[in-house]
Amino acid sequence: MESRHLKVFLTTIFVLAVVGLNVFFIAKDKPEQIREDQRSLLLSQMAEETPLNSASKQVASQRARLRHLIVPIANHLATRYLYTEVAQRARANPTQPGHQAMQYVLASKREEEKIEGMVKNKLANVHSGEWAEEIHRKTPAKYQALIPALANQAAHTSTVFAFKHLKEQMLAAEKNPTYLKHLSPTDPNA
């Protein structure tokens, strides 16, 4: 799709250059008058070559609707999987503080890729659960081919955002020890 837009853009630039040269030479010979047909030719060619015709506007509109549907789900899943991974890491090493488990997960690219893959699977794979089923159910059949690409993009951005948000929370808690004091203490026996 992007190569088509690039082709249209380059064609439009070429047409502008050719017509511009024609207008330049005509204007050089007759500075007081530029032929009206040259201007109309330029405008008609540009109108035919516009990159956003109605079909591509519909696809762009549908992509925006799908993105609006997928991104909140991806954000929720990425945050949930990140916190679950931190909790599992903390439970696996009960002698170390949970802060160290959080630091390990946030510093690990492998953990980030693992979480991103799980989010992508939950968004795009219809057999992975109700999130993907809901996305497929709300998407018209002719646009379901867009789901994998948008799911990949949403999974990546939401995972990066979840990691960034947790890092910011950790830094705020380190700078200000009372940052998390408004939360009730958890039961150590739970």
Side-chain angles (χ1 to χ4, degrees), residues 17-154:
V18 170
V19 172
L21 287 175
N22 287 343
V23 169
F24 173 74
F25 287 120
I26 292 170
K28 187 176 175 185
D29 293 340
K30 303 173 188 172
E32 67 280 347
Q33 80 181 177
I34 296 176
R35 290 192 200 158
E36 188 62 35
D37 60 330
Q38 289 291 331
R39 275 195 234 145
S40 64
L41 175 66
L42 172 65
L43 293 176
S44 67
Q45 287 176 343
M46 285 177 55
E48 292 172 1
E49 298 286 332
T50 55
L52 291 177
N53 59 19
S54 64
S56 61
K57 283 182 184 177
Q58 289 174 348
V59 172
S61 172
Q62 189 61 35
R63 283 179 68 92
R65 282 191 205 113
L66 281 174
R67 194 175 299 120
H68 183 71
L69 173 68
I70 292 174
V71 168
I73 296 171
N75 288 337
H76 168 74
L77 290 172
T79 304
R80 187 178 91 189
Y81 287 144
L82 176 60
Y83 288 175
T84 302
E85 189 65 35
V86 168
Q88 287 175 353
R89 174 80 47 193
R91 281 190 216 112
N93 302 316
T95 57
Q96 297 178 344
H99 185 77
Q100 287 180 352
M102 207 177 290
Q103 286 178 333
Y104 175 80
V105 171
L106 290 174
S108 173
K109 277 292 188 193
R110 193 176 125 247
E111 298 292 335
E112 186 175 345
E113 290 170 358
K114 175 183 165 187
I115 291 171
E116 182 179 332
M118 291 189 313
V119 172
K120 182 182 175 189
N121 183 43
K122 283 288 186 184
L123 293 174
N125 185 0
V126 180
H127 306 292
S128 67
E130 61 190 51
W131 293 113
E133 290 173 2
E134 179 183 348
I135 291 168
H136 279 270
R137 187 174 51 249
K138 291 183 177 180
T139 305
K142 69 180 187 176
Y143 296 115
Q144 286 189 357
L146 298 174
I147 292 175
L150 290 174
N152 190 19
Q153 180 184 23

